[in-house]
Amino acid sequence: MANTSPMPGASGTVRGACPHDCPDTCALDVTVSEGRVIKVTGAADHAPTAGVLCTKVAFYPERIHHPDRLLHPLRRVGAKGPGASFERITWEVALATIAERFRRIAAESGAEAIVPYSYAGNSGLLGYGSMDRRFFHCLGAAQLDRTICASAGAMGYRATIGASVGFDAENVVDARLIILWGTNSVVSNLHFWRLAQEARRRGARLIAIDPCRTATAEKCDQHVALLPGTDSALALGLMHVLIRDQLLDADYIARYTLGFDALRERALLFAPARAAAICGISEGEIEKLAHDYASTSPAAIRTNYGINRTAGGGMALRAISCLPALTGAWRHPAGGVLLSTSGNYPVDTAALERPDLMPNPAPRTINMSTIGRDLLHAQPAIKALFVYNSNPVAIAPQSAEVVRGFAREDLFTVVHDLFQTDTADYADILLPATSHMEQLDIHKSYGHLHIQVNQPAIAPLGEALPNTELFRRLARQMGFSDACFADDDEALCRQAFDWRDPRLAGLSWEKLKADGHARLNLPRGAAPFAAGGFPTPSGKCEFYSQAMLSQGLDPLPDFIAPREWRQSTLAAEFPLALITPPARNFLNTSFANSARFLVQEKSPAVHLHPADASARGIADDSPVRIFNRRGEFHARAIVSERVRPGVAMATSIWWRKLSPDGRNCNEVTSQALTDMGGGATFYDCLVEVAGV
């Protein structure tokens, strides 16, 4: 199928790629009629997508042509916050206003008083980080540590495996055991679930490890319902049994791992009785899972980033990623572990982002997970925020502080978005953003091994601009003269990858642009670490990590209890462990203003086990408040055995202004950070629930 793009106002079918923060990175066929997107389907010739889309993206025309799309630059008139009013201005006025304020702040307080705030609202390489990074680097603005989703788990995983790589998901159809550890694949990794189902038809057993009986867990052969934040204890308990019962691949350990003797001593501290007590499960579950894992080949572990959102999140992924090397599961193409495939792509980040434009010494770094605290207390004070690809007033932890920070009258805030989000209500200047169907981009994936082009299907609606063009114009307004600010989007696509890398052999920008997508030049059916060759400093799977030790961290996997632990004194006041996974129809706060999906979700909900509900006199479908010392929010109770006793699950993330009480689950989450990587601890949160 030709990857041609209709002219604005014309009709036809265009090749695209889904830009949302999901491992599937689907290839799209976008049907356009008279300049409007009328249909979106999955590309049948793209192996990972195989013609199938999630419900959210299947109804994408409703998002593109939503009546609330921002179409023109706006300036706030009146007070900040919910109900804020804006007046239309020109792009010339908007850019001049931003440039003037940035110059003044830089002169008076230093450019590092200006903070960009963005994440993966658009995961295309151009939309996520290219011209915007160049602009802020040249400006000398503060750096943003983008930690809110994956930093802890990625760090722990890479300390063991060496990079964000693992088994090829397309091979998992040949597995005989698949452990879905902390991943609700039916909701958040649909195309992996399709492969797991094929494996099951061929005889595989599926095991879910999750505090809740999710849509995925209820379809698996077995569900291990551990307590939140105890995954590393379970992994260490499994290691104990593997070592105690000699269920090991001694040859693989001797050849391709580092630090087994030290790991052995650590794992032997986690007898099944101890691990079971920590995890809130039975010893028998640990014994059986260990024996099943060791005796079934090929055995694959698919994990995800929900695990890393507790105090010990980095250690959890580190411990899990040790397991395949103990049993030799890496010997098989359908065995091993997979967290992310993103490390397979030869992205030329320096070419895209141009860190050489930064002043020396580099400006300070602000952690996006603590933006509430930093807006109120950072020194020197943050004087300006530029928000794009994110909605921090809704998604950042400990909302009360975030809201107070954004409400500061002396804070100059610019927001670039498709809609007037919760964050946009606090903007001084509000700018209209294009959707991915109105812009060019190039994509990697963190769930498969294909590279994709997203062609613009329609002309930008109204006066909307993509991130790249916005920051090009702003750079000109600021007088930045480096030639890199003249690069157009096609030039950026050419710069996005090191096309000389063997993984891109036979592929060029021209060929990719014509075909729409291509698999990396990695052999199908290969086992990446069958004979070692891990991308670690030692070239081996590192049970013992000198790099961890050099950073002041434990060089061995260990269990780090949640900060808000059920055995702490805090639990006497707030006995329920709250987790806040995505609602089926939302992706973070994207799609959360869709009339279709709001009807399906009904209202914010919190799931409680019948025993916990009964003890509190809470009936199914009754209004409740969920609270701790940080705040509270209201929701509808769903009494169900989907959650285990002692756990509350609130599906997320609702826009605050679309919630009944103007708040959401992040009112109660904490700005405390993970053990490594500076990550957010959304799932490390004790609460109480009471009727309203």
Side-chain angles (χ1 to χ4, degrees):
M1 176 180 179
N3 192 30
T4 55
S5 178
M7 296 297 292
S11 302
T13 303
V14 182
R15 281 291 174 88
C18 180
H20 289 283
D21 190 5
C22 166
D24 291 30
T25 317
C26 293
L28 310 177
D29 291 337
V30 182
T31 304
V32 177
S33 177
E34 298 180 352
R36 288 181 62 89
V37 176
I38 61 169
K39 186 179 181 182
V40 182
T41 56
D45 64 344
H46 181 244
T49 304
V52 177
L53 293 180
C54 70
T55 305
K56 296 183 284 289
V57 177
F59 287 104
Y60 220 92
E62 296 177 5
R63 178 174 170 82
I64 299 295
H65 300 292
H66 194 292
D68 294 339
R69 274 287 300 270
L70 292 171
L71 300 177
H72 307 284
L74 302 170
R75 175 170 52 202
R76 182 174 50 82
V77 290
K80 294 184 177 184
S85 297
F86 293 85
E87 64 180 5
R88 181 174 172 180
I89 57 176
T90 65
W91 268 109
E92 290 74 18
V93 169
L95 294 171
T97 301
I98 296 167
E100 188 277 327
R101 289 294 296 269
F102 279 7
R103 288 192 191 97
R104 188 196 317 167
I105 290 168
E108 295 175 353
S109 305
E112 67 177 8
I114 302 166
V115 177
Y117 195 101
S118 70
Y119 198 63
N122 185 327
S123 294
L125 292 178
L126 273 59
Y128 177 76
S130 60
M131 196 62 68
D132 57 308
R133 309 299 171 90
R134 296 178 183 188
F135 174 82
F136 288 113
H137 288 158
C138 190
L139 179 63
Q143 297 292 288
L144 184 72
D145 199 1
R146 292 173 171 84
T147 61
I148 207 155
C149 176
S151 59
M155 186 172 174
Y157 188 89
R158 288 195 295 260
T160 312
I161 304 300
S164 293
V165 296
F167 63 77
D168 180 346
E170 293 181 49
N171 293 336
V172 82
V173 294
D174 294 322
R176 288 297 170 264
L177 177 67
I178 301 174
I179 299 175
L180 296 149
W181 198 323
T183 177
N184 186 6
S185 298
V186 171
V187 171
S188 59
N189 194 185
L190 179 63
H191 293 82
F192 184 85
W193 179 249
R194 177 178 59 84
L195 297 171
Q197 288 292 87
E198 175 59 27
R200 193 183 205 178
R201 284 189 286 271
R202 300 183 187 188
R205 289 186 69 244
L206 306 185
I207 299 174
I209 300 176
D210 198 294
C212 303
R213 196 172 77 242
T214 61
T216 301
E218 70 180 359
K219 293 176 172 63
C220 287
D221 300 292
Q222 181 183 347
H223 175 210
V224 179
L226 77 178
L227 285 161
T230 64
D231 302 271
S232 57
L234 176 56
L236 285 159
L238 296 176
M239 292 183 208
H240 180 105
V241 176
L242 296 175
I243 293 166
R244 182 200 67 196
D245 296 350
Q246 299 183 6
L247 304 172
L248 303 171
D249 186 329
D251 178 70
Y252 194 92
I253 292 169
R255 290 174 179 242
Y256 306 129
T257 72
L258 179 70
F260 173 72
D261 289 342
L263 178 68
R264 180 181 183 278
E265 295 305 310
R266 176 64 55 83
L268 290 179
L269 298 175
F270 286 84
R274 180 189 177 196
I278 292 170
C279 297
I281 58 178
S282 69
E283 292 181 54
E285 287 177 283
I286 295 176
E287 297 274 3
K288 183 176 188 305
L289 182 58
H291 279 262
D292 287 348
Y293 179 64
S295 63
T296 310
S297 181
I301 299 173
R302 178 64 166 117
T303 188
N304 213 330
Y305 289 108
I307 291 170
N308 85 163
R309 294 173 188 150
T310 64
M315 273 298 183
L317 269 300
R318 175 142 164 69
I320 292 166
S321 60
C322 289
L323 292 169
L326 290 171
T327 63
W330 285 119
R331 294 187 186 275
H332 308 280
V337 64
L338 176 62
L339 173 65
S340 170
T341 62
S342 61
N344 289 287
Y345 293 84
V347 178
D348 195 340
T349 304
L352 279 175
E353 300 185 0
R354 293 294 303 274
D356 58 295
L357 296 171
M358 274 194 292
N360 187 15
R364 66 174 170 176
T365 296
I366 297 293
N367 188 327
M368 71 184 302
S369 296
T370 57
I371 191 62
R373 183 184 312 139
D374 289 336
L375 282 172
L376 296 174
H377 304 297
Q379 292 297 326
I382 297 170
K383 297 290 188 176
L385 271 179
F386 200 122
V387 179
Y388 56 104
N389 290 356
S390 190
N391 184 9
V393 169
I395 63 97
Q398 206 162 336
S399 293
E401 285 204 347
V402 179
V403 168
R404 287 199 299 273
F406 270 84
R408 283 173 38 202
E409 286 299 327
D410 66 330
L411 178 71
F412 177 65
T413 302
V414 181
V415 175
H416 184 224
D417 210 314
L418 279 74
F419 300 101
Q420 188 175 329
T421 62
D422 290 329
T423 304
D425 287 341
Y426 293 84
D428 295 284
I429 299 293
L430 180 53
L431 304 173
T434 50
S435 71
H436 73 285
M437 294 185 181
E438 301 153 63
Q439 63 194 42
L440 178 68
D441 215 327
I442 191 168
H443 292 252
K444 63 176 183 177
S445 171
Y446 65 96
H448 57 69
L449 298 174
H450 293 245
I451 180 173
Q452 294 158 242
V453 171
N454 178 77
Q455 291 282 6
I458 58 174
L461 299 184
E463 297 181 88
L465 294 179
N467 294 344
T468 50
E469 180 60 19
L470 164 59
F471 287 103
R472 258 186 229 106
R473 294 187 185 186
L474 196 52
R476 287 198 297 269
Q477 189 76 37
M478 294 290 294
F480 296 166
S481 58
D482 193 285
C484 73
F485 292 108
D487 290 342
D488 63 16
D489 287 354
E490 185 152 339
L492 292 172
C493 287
R494 291 178 184 276
Q495 296 164 21
F497 290 96
D498 179 358
W499 300 95
R500 302 162 299 176
D501 190 283
R503 290 168 290 186
L504 297 180
L507 190 62
S508 65
W509 164 246
E510 287 73 19
K511 179 172 173 52
L512 186 67
K513 185 170 62 169
D515 295 344
H517 53 78
R519 181 183 158 97
L520 294 174
N521 186 34
L522 293 170
R524 296 177 186 272
F529 306 124
F534 290 88
T536 56
S538 66
K540 297 182 178 183
C541 179
E542 296 195 351
F543 300 143
Y544 183 99
S545 170
Q546 185 65 39
M548 290 264 117
L549 182 63
S550 68
Q551 296 175 63
L553 299 168
D554 193 329
L556 291 165
D558 201 359
F559 167 63
I560 297 175
R563 282 192 182 83
E564 301 192 2
W565 183 223
R566 66 190 178 98
Q567 296 176 354
S568 68
T569 55
L570 185 66
E573 186 176 358
F574 304 107
L576 297 174
L578 178 71
I579 58 174
T580 54
R584 183 159 193 160
N585 292 295
F586 302 162
L587 203 168
N588 299 322
T589 62
S590 294
F591 305 99
N593 64 329
S594 161
R596 175 186 299 276
F597 298 140
L598 286 168
V599 167
Q600 292 182 31
E601 293 296 331
K602 297 182 181 178
S603 66
V606 62
H607 296 247
L608 296 171
H609 189 273
D612 291 325
S614 176
R616 291 161 176 80
I618 293 170
D620 188 51
D621 209 36
S622 63
V624 295
R625 66 185 185 100
I626 302 93
F627 61 96
N628 59 21
R629 293 173 187 170
R630 288 180 289 272
E632 69 174 56
F633 68 102
H634 289 199
R636 168 175 53 94
I638 297 178
V639 180
S640 166
E641 292 188 352
R642 284 182 175 275
V643 291
R644 54 161 296 147
V647 173
M649 178 182 71
T651 49
S652 66
I653 301 173
W654 283 75
W655 285 20
R656 292 167 60 88
K657 61 184 169 185
L658 298 181
S659 301
D661 64 336
R663 292 169 288 188
N664 68 17
C665 60
N666 282 318
E667 201 75 19
V668 299
T669 56
S670 167
Q671 292 178 87
L673 300 178
T674 51
D675 52 338
M676 59 185 78
T681 56
F682 291 109
Y683 297 176
D684 195 327
C685 178
L686 288 178
V687 299
E688 181 57 289
V689 180
V692 175

